[in-house]
Amino acid sequence: MAELVAYIVAGLATGAIYALAAIGFTLVWQTSQTINFAQGEYVMLPAILILAGVAFLGLPIWAAAVLGAALFVVVFGLGFKLAVVDPMIRHGVLPLAIATMALAIIMKESAKDFFSSEAQTFPSPFPAGAVDVLGVSLSLQHIAIIAVAFVAIGALQWFVTATRTGRQMQATAQNPGVALILGIPVARMVMLTFAINAGLAVLASVLISPIYLAKFSNGDVIGLFAFIAAIVGGFNQVRGALAGGLIVGVVDSLAAAYISSSYRLAVPLVLLVVIILVKPEGLFGRREERRV
Amino acid sequence: MSETAAPPVPAKASGLGGGLLGRLDGVLLTLLAGAAVLWFLPVGMGRYGTYVLTLWLVTAIAVMGLNLTLGIAGLKSLAQGAFMGIGAYITAILGTKLGIDWYTCFALSGLACFALGLLLGFPALRVKAHYLAFVTLAFSTLVWLVLRNEQWLTGGTFGISNIARPTLFGLRTDGALAFHRFVVVVTLILALALWWLVRSPWGRAFLALRENPIRAASLGIDIRAYTLLAFAIGSAYGGFAGALYAPLVEFIDPTPFALSASFMLLLMVVAGGSGYQLGPFLGALLAVALPEWLRFTGGLYLIVFGIVVLLLLIVCPTGILGLLDRGWASLKARFVTADGSRP
């Protein structure tokens, strides 16, 4: 029983991180109908950039983190929007989706060739150790990750629903055409979405790298799980992506513990296919109108 | 399907060839001439050069299938690499363990992938078009897991070795050149079959679907049946490519059939020119030959490849053939107006 609870908490911790990646993915999807196939690499790269700042520039870790995060948001949030999405979006979603696949290759191979092909340890921002809760030993790190992710998602949710800019962002996501007529600066809102996506990716990267180690190939699994989380929860809202992330995290953790470690990846995939067949709009999604 | 960048419709003859050669079918002529050139090309190239050429053609077959799925029917499939893997493993397992001849293995590989394509496509198309991308993504990963974990059948990470090459009328194709020529013939047959298919009433139905699914439906075309058929035939080509890949490399393991392989094949379709019948050959050439040309960059070739594809897509989302086609059209327009022979 204690074991089961520990597995669930570990699953919730990684699930909360998948949720951060999935939320960014759905935000970008909503505002620009872009499927970002580089989403996993978006979570992989910030940790590598931070370690590179320490290794090559000799910065202390906190300074490297600030610099790496800022650089990442500018280049892969705003730069991605300006240099890749803008020139391609008018040609349809397919070339853009393919372009993000090419971007994923570039990010992954650059991390491997210019930094390291070995897994690197990444310092945890939280203390090690465990606490005893009603006879169950829970990792402090896992609890801290869950707390940080929930605070971040809560803040995002508050920003989107309670502030003027956030509501403008929501209007843009729901219908850019109408939003434009209403005088909302749509282009700036879309930019903001891409910046938030990059910011969430940085946070996810810092949270997950102490557990998974920083490695160029991390994006494969994280990207896959973020997609599954987004579809399971429902494409069209933050709440859905959060629930999807937590479900996928827990399912993965339990599958690894109780089913088979060589087929652990298969369990979330089966979940994905079942959701697509049974409730294609996702567990928490609204059914979208069929557009002609 | 309006979200895909629409490649031109090969009405009489597609784009470039049609313009250059008038009434003759440029695609057909290019295929026949290309096969003749490729028959003799490896002479003096050595074993490795011949191997790269053959690998190009085998890859092109898989890309051709995906081009039918994506470029003609407008479906995003992320499973072509997995279908190639299934074909390669069926051929390898039946050939090495049961001693079944290559031709039967080839047919079974295509048939199995056709059937799997129907099985995958049926539920995915029941919901919404872009879900096929995710279902095929899941399928690719599952196939890779099975190939890696079911050691009793696939050899796991140790793979399967000693895959025999086929014989033709009693002639063995063990040598690099003999096998290359064998692949040239098979590629030509498969390319001609697709060429015929696109011009047949079936092909016109596929095109009608891509251009305007609702009008196609109102004309009495069963959208789901045709979409499914395009996907299944495209998948079968993946299986055919795998059945040739296994004897080409003579040793297979799960690595070349991972999800990234499916991504790469999709890149090749778009880079070559999605919907153009000769596009797959260009796309596959880019992916197979570029690493050879970029050998001097050491391990950086994948980065360079990614950058080339990204720039190509930004400059010209319709691929290399789309770019040539556009260039040719504007050149012709200028020439014709200067000449004054046409309004």
Side-chain angles (χ1 to χ4, degrees), chain A residues 10-43:
Chain A
L12 286 175
T14 44
I17 298 168
Y18 298 145
L20 291 173
I23 289 168
F25 173 65
T26 55
L27 285 177
V28 168
W29 163 266
Q30 283 173 46
T31 45
S32 55
Q33 298 286 298
T34 306
I35 301 181
N36 182 12
F37 280 103
Q39 192 70 8
E41 277 68 27
Y42 266 59
V43 177

Side-chain angles (χ1 to χ4, degrees), chain A residues 25 29 35 37 83-84 87-88 91-95 98-99 101-103 105-106 109-110 113-114 224 227 231 235 262-263 265-266 269-270 272-273 276-277 280-281 288 290 292, chain B residues 3-5 70 76 78 123-124 126-128 130-131 134-135 137-138 141-142 145-146 148-150 214 259 263-264 266-267 270 299-300 302-303 305-307 309-310 313-314 317:
Chain A
F25 173 65
W29 163 266
I35 301 181
F37 280 103
V84 179
M88 297 194 61
H91 297 293
V93 176
L94 181 70
I98 307 272
M101 290 177 195
L103 186 68
I105 294 177
I106 297 170
E109 296 298 318
S110 299
D113 290 336
F114 297 122
L224 192 61
F227 286 126
I231 294 166
F235 256 101
S262 49
Y263 277 107
L265 204 55
L269 291 168
V270 170
L272 166 82
V273 173
I276 286 179
L277 295 182
E281 68 274 18
E288 274 179 51
R290 193 175 267 280
V292 177
Chain B
E3 57 183 28
T4 48
L70 180 83
K76 299 164 205 76
L78 288 172
R126 201 172 61 89
V127 277
K128 228 177 182 185
H130 72 257
Y131 281 107
F134 294 109
V135 171
L137 186 146
T141 311
L142 290 174
L145 283 174
V146 169
R148 212 186 47 173
N149 291 330
E150 299 305 316
I214 290 162
L259 183 60
F263 280 145
M264 285 296 275
L266 208 54
L267 283 180
V270 175
L300 301 184
L302 265 176
I303 300 177
F305 178 73
I307 292 172
V309 171
L310 199 60
L313 284 169
I314 290 171

Side-chain angles (χ1 to χ4, degrees), chain B residues 4-211:
Chain B
T4 48
V9 181
K12 276 232 160 56
S14 91
L16 192 66
L20 285 171
L21 295 163
R23 294 221 179 91
L24 287 169
D25 191 310
V27 172
L28 182 62
L29 283 178
T30 314
L31 284 177
L32 293 172
V37 170
L38 281 167
W39 181 270
F40 293 107
L41 195 61
V43 176
M45 275 180 83
R47 273 184 70 86
Y48 187 71
T50 311
Y51 164 81
V52 173
L53 269 187
T54 316
L55 182 62
W56 168 42
L57 292 180
V58 171
T59 312
I61 293 172
V63 185
M64 263 195 265
L66 191 55
N67 189 36
L68 178 75
T69 309
L70 180 83
I72 307 292
L75 301 171
K76 299 164 205 76
S77 160
L78 288 172
Q80 195 70 349
F83 284 124
M84 216 175 144
I86 290 168
Y89 270 91
I90 286 179
T91 302
I93 292 168
L94 294 183
T96 55
K97 294 197 174 155
L98 302 176
I100 295 175
D101 72 299
W102 180 84
Y103 296 93
T104 313
C105 295
F106 177 79
L108 287 176
S109 299
L111 209 65
C113 290
F114 185 88
L116 278 169
L118 288 181
L119 268 177
L120 268 186
F122 187 69
L125 293 177
R126 201 172 61 89
V127 277
K128 228 177 182 185
H130 72 257
Y131 281 107
L132 187 69
F134 294 109
V135 171
T136 50
L137 186 146
F139 175 72
S140 283
T141 311
L142 290 174
V143 167
W144 185 75
L145 283 174
V146 169
L147 293 183
R148 212 186 47 173
N149 291 330
E150 299 305 316
Q151 254 187 27
W152 60 276
L153 184 66
T154 65
T157 46
F158 300 110
I160 299 173
S161 51
N162 296 321
I163 302 162
R165 289 185 172 176
T167 52
L168 183 64
F169 304 124
L171 289 168
R172 301 193 61 78
T173 60
D174 290 340
L177 183 62
F179 187 69
H180 170 78
R181 289 181 168 164
F182 181 78
V183 172
V184 169
V185 173
V186 177
T187 311
L188 182 67
I189 294 169
L190 289 174
L192 290 178
L194 263 193
W195 174 84
W196 170 81
L197 183 72
V198 170
R199 274 155 193 75
S200 71
W202 284 14
R204 295 192 185 282
F206 291 149
L207 285 171
L209 270 184
R210 190 190 71 197
E211 296 305 319

